[in-house]
Amino acid sequence: LADDSVSIKGTLDTTGYIKVASTKFTVDATGNTYADGTLGVKGVSTLEDDLLLSEDAAVIKHSLAAGSTTGFAGLSILSENYHVDVESVRFTDAKIGTTSDADLITLADDSVSIKGTLDTTG
């Protein structure tokens, strides 16, 4: 130990908890991890389970870097093999419907097809 610092060359193995500043960052013996503060990630993040948001008014936000001139800015939500559900609305390829009737509206270049009855008021 020199000047209140620790250097490790190699692997740190522990069967107990890892704690930083008591509660700011912890990893328990099972791998559960808690971080108190903002998590910044540079690069792709892969989650092998659900992402749960517990904030009363949670936001998924996309921000374009200041001065960007790519012309390709945007946010995509993509399911590579199936569909995307937002509340009880289902999006599958160019089809929009409900979770029980997934192809009520079909979109194509210069056309919109509606399956079933179209009701309007006014």
Side-chain angles (χ1 to χ4, degrees), residues 11 14 17 22 26 35 37 48 53 70 91 99 101 104 113 118 120:
T11 302
T14 180
Y17 284 67
S22 183
T26 61
E48 293 185 5
L53 306 174
T70 63
F91 298 86
T99 53
D101 194 355
L104 293 170
S113 299
L118 174 63
T120 63

Side-chain angles (χ1 to χ4, degrees), residues 31-56:
N32 293 325
T33 304
Y34 173 82
D36 187 10
T38 301
L39 175 64
V41 178
K42 187 174 183 178
V44 175
S45 298
T46 301
L47 304 176
E48 293 185 5
D49 206 335
D50 294 341
L51 173 63
L52 304 176
L53 306 174
S54 60
E55 181 74 27
D56 285 347

